[in-house]
Amino acid sequence: MKIIPLVRSEFARLTASRLGIASLIAIMIVPIVYGGLYLWGNKDPYGNLKNVPAALVVADAGTTVGGKPVNYGKDAGAQLLEDHAFDWKRVSASAAAAGVRKGTYDFAVTFPTAFSRDLASAGGPSPTKATIGLRTDDTNSYLSTTIAKQATESVRVAIAEKVGKAGSRELLDAVSSVRSGLVSAQDGASQLASGAASAASGAATVSSGAAKVADGAASLAAGVPAAASGSAQLSAGLSTLSAGFPQYRSALAQALAASGLPAANQQQLLAGLDQLAAGASLSKTKSAELASALAALPANADQLSSGASHVAAGASSLSSGVAALNTGASQLSGSLTSGVAKVPATTAAERAAKAAQLANPATVTQHAVTTAQDYGAGLAPFFISLSAWIGLYALFLLVRPLSRRALTAVRRPIRTTIAGWLTPAVLGVVQMVALFAVVTLALHLQVADGAGMLAFMALTAITFAAMILALNVLFGSVGQFLALILMIVQLVTAGGTFPWQTLPGPLAVIHQALPMAHAVDGIRALMYGGDTSTIWGPVTFLLYWLVGSLLVALLGATRQARFRTLVQLRPGAIGG
């Protein structure tokens, strides 16, 4: 008996009765229902988070920053309500706690009373870290807890950016004010340096003049004794002259009378002599006073000379100090000029832009080689592969691994093995075609290479058919159970959800060895696009398993053919 008649015979057996047809149809739609419903239910869960009930508690009392009232908690709460990322309900703290405990809300986010005050304390002497309260209960949903943590972290980052932007702007404004002060100080220092230079010149002149005064005072002190002595001698001579004057006048009057000079002229001469006598008498008095003063002057002259010397020394110190002041003022002016140059001048718009950059210094620019359409598309490769195995597993509940009559009568194990494989393989391919139609037409998941993906799904189905066939041929009904166990192992190790590198060591080794993991990789490459050369690795691996499984099934069929009896030629209950 040839292969095609054997396959036709098996199909005839499966469709020989209404019950058989109903059973076959039910089995055929198992992978379609499983894969289709699961992908439909998980097509876009993140897009439906707006239906997840969540409590929002805004107890923030606000605070004042820079003389202006702020309430970061109120602002953040309003933003959450506006975004509609979740089904937020603004409630009291007690209602939120009770709601999470009873399951009314999946989680609750709280902005406490001191939230704004703690945020604003970062600019004061005693900063306090602000907290956002998150109340969860994993009995509501573990994933909702995980999502709530991510959502709260997003809120925290947004608030930190906002506060950081305000703080950075305040700091930059302060730096700008400091620069303005430095510019003013620079101008003042320049004026000080100029004035100090003038003062240094004047101090030098004062020092020079003080030195001359000191020299003159010293010379004066040295000449005072001689002047005092001369004044005393002058006073003594004038006294002698004043005492003999009457005698000289009388003698002169007699001589004039004897000379025959006119009386008028004689009187003029005598009047003049009397004036000279009066002046001599006055000179005598003044010279006496001068002599007395000069007698007391030496001590004062010494004091004057000593004082003048002190003044000269002080003027010299003053000149040195003013010179040092001039040098320091020049250095201060230069330092302030350098400081001003290091603090750039900025406009208000530039400071606002820099504050925004400081608050959020880095952004992520993603370059996606390939992109899954949504969460459902991300799971599709795994569930398509799993559906293929489930569909073939279910088919072997109806399909006979080998025709016992053909194996006993014909004793052609190769034909019988291929026929036993072709029947479920063809049905498996039909299942994959139907599942592909559901994925693309009903669920509208995008596929980069539709023909390639459909062909690879068919290869996956016929490979799984060969593997389950081999298990059934070798172990009988126990083989079907082993196929179930192998499905469970592959479900865990295929890496369809989390990266396979997160698996424990032994499971990671199994991931590399079993075919479902490579089926997932192949469907991903064809569904998402990208480097098409990567598909040949999974194709080659599946072909190894296909050929190897058929060889194992052939060995089992050969062994069974040696021990068949005539009883096994009797037809089965539904045409076998």
Side-chain angles (χ1 to χ4, degrees):
M1 186 177 290
K2 297 182 179 181
I3 295 175
I4 298 301
L6 286 173
V7 173
R8 188 184 300 114
S9 174
E10 181 63 15
F11 274 109
R13 185 187 71 83
L14 292 173
T15 58
S17 64
R18 291 182 179 179
L19 179 60
I21 295 173
S23 300
L24 180 60
I25 293 174
I27 293 297
M28 287 291 291
I29 66 173
V30 166
I32 302 170
V33 172
Y34 173 78
L37 285 179
Y38 201 98
L39 292 176
W40 182 31
N42 292 275
K43 188 175 187 300
D44 189 17
Y46 291 104
N48 293 321
L49 289 178
K50 61 180 178 295
N51 299 323
V52 175
L56 176 63
V57 180
V58 180
D60 190 4
T63 188
T64 302
V65 177
K68 297 180 179 180
V70 295
N71 194 313
Y72 295 114
K74 182 179 179 180
D75 294 342
Q79 188 63 49
L80 290 177
L81 293 172
E82 182 180 345
D83 290 344
H84 299 291
F86 298 93
D87 185 16
W88 294 105
K89 304 295 183 184
R90 185 166 178 176
V91 296
S92 64
S94 58
V100 173
R101 185 172 58 253
K102 295 178 180 179
T104 304
Y105 310 114
D106 280 13
F107 61 91
V109 173
T110 300
F111 296 100
T113 304
F115 185 70
S116 292
R117 187 179 66 217
D118 291 340
L119 283 176
S121 68
S126 301
T128 305
K129 184 175 292 187
T131 58
I132 301 175
L134 175 62
R135 182 180 292 271
T136 62
D137 189 342
D138 284 354
T139 58
N140 296 330
S141 170
Y142 173 75
L143 284 180
S144 68
T145 297
T146 303
I147 294 171
K149 291 179 180 178
Q150 295 174 350
T152 308
E153 177 63 17
S154 299
V155 173
R156 187 197 67 79
V157 170
I159 292 175
E161 180 178 349
K162 181 177 181 180
V163 174
K165 183 177 179 180
S168 299
R169 177 62 185 272
E170 184 177 351
L171 175 62
L172 291 174
D173 287 342
V175 171
S176 180
S177 298
V178 169
R179 187 184 188 280
S180 299
L182 287 175
V183 171
S184 300
Q186 177 193 8
D187 294 340
S190 298
Q191 295 175 3
L192 176 62
S194 177
S198 300
S201 176
T205 302
V206 170
S207 177
S208 175
K212 292 179 180 180
V213 170
D215 292 342
S219 299
L220 176 63
V224 165
S229 176
S231 179
Q233 292 176 0
L234 175 62
S235 178
L238 290 174
S239 295
T240 302
L241 177 61
S242 179
F245 179 74
Q247 296 177 1
Y248 292 125
R249 187 181 188 287
S250 177
L252 179 58
Q254 292 176 3
L256 290 173
S259 63
L261 186 69
N265 291 336
Q266 292 180 17
Q267 290 300 322
Q268 290 178 350
L269 290 174
L270 289 175
L273 183 61
D274 289 339
Q275 290 178 354
L276 178 62
S281 178
L282 180 61
S283 297
K284 181 189 72 171
T285 302
K286 296 301 182 182
S287 63
E289 293 176 357
L290 177 62
S292 176
L294 289 175
L297 188 59
N300 295 331
D302 290 338
Q303 294 177 356
L304 175 62
S305 177
S306 176
S309 298
H310 287 303
V311 170
S316 178
S317 299
L318 173 63
S319 178
S320 299
V322 173
L325 173 63
N326 181 35
T327 301
S330 298
Q331 292 177 349
L332 175 61
S333 178
S335 299
L336 289 173
T337 300
S338 176
V340 169
K342 292 179 180 179
V343 181
T346 57
T347 64
E350 290 172 341
R351 291 194 295 273
K354 288 184 179 181
Q357 183 180 6
L358 289 172
N360 186 16
T363 57
V364 177
T365 300
Q366 179 183 2
H367 174 69
V369 178
T370 62
T371 304
Q373 176 184 348
D374 49 33
Y375 186 75
L379 292 178
F382 173 56
F383 283 100
I384 289 173
S385 302
L386 185 58
S387 296
W389 187 277
I390 292 174
L392 269 302
Y393 176 85
L395 281 173
F396 272 95
L397 296 176
L398 293 180
V399 175
R400 295 178 305 182
L402 296 176
S403 174
R404 293 177 297 172
R405 294 178 62 194
L407 193 63
T408 302
V410 181
R411 293 187 179 275
R412 301 282 185 178
I414 294 179
R415 294 180 181 178
T416 306
T417 300
I418 294 177
W421 164 69
L422 275 178
T423 302
V426 170
L427 293 174
V429 169
V430 173
Q431 288 177 329
M432 291 297 98
V433 171
L435 183 56
F436 180 83
V438 170
V439 167
T440 57
L441 301 179
L443 300 180
H444 304 289
L445 296 182
Q446 299 174 358
V447 176
D449 186 352
M453 179 172 164
L454 185 57
F456 187 82
M457 290 171 62
L459 174 61
T460 301
I462 64 177
T463 300
F464 290 172
M467 292 177 65
I468 299 175
L469 172 69
L471 290 172
N472 277 274
V473 169
L474 284 180
F475 302 105
S477 59
V478 175
Q480 188 73 358
F481 173 74
L482 293 177
L484 176 62
I485 297 300
L486 189 57
M487 180 192 72
I488 295 172
V489 172
Q490 293 186 103
L491 186 152
V492 174
T493 61
T497 51
F498 289 95
W500 67 268
Q501 291 86 351
T502 62
L503 293 170
L507 294 182
V509 173
I510 296 175
H511 165 86
Q512 299 287 356
L514 294 180
M516 189 177 293
H518 299 273
V520 171
D521 291 340
I523 294 175
R524 280 175 177 164
L526 294 165
M527 186 172 185
Y528 306 151
D531 187 359
T532 56
S533 64
T534 59
I535 190 61
W536 296 112
V539 167
T540 302
F541 199 87
L542 289 179
L543 289 176
Y544 284 151
W545 272 97
L546 172 62
V547 175
S549 298
L550 289 177
L551 289 176
V552 170
L554 176 60
L555 291 176
T558 302
R559 186 185 64 179
Q560 291 183 24
R562 294 175 182 174
F563 302 100
R564 289 294 176 183
T565 64
L566 292 176
V567 176
Q568 293 171 330
L569 294 175
R570 189 174 302 165
I574 54 174

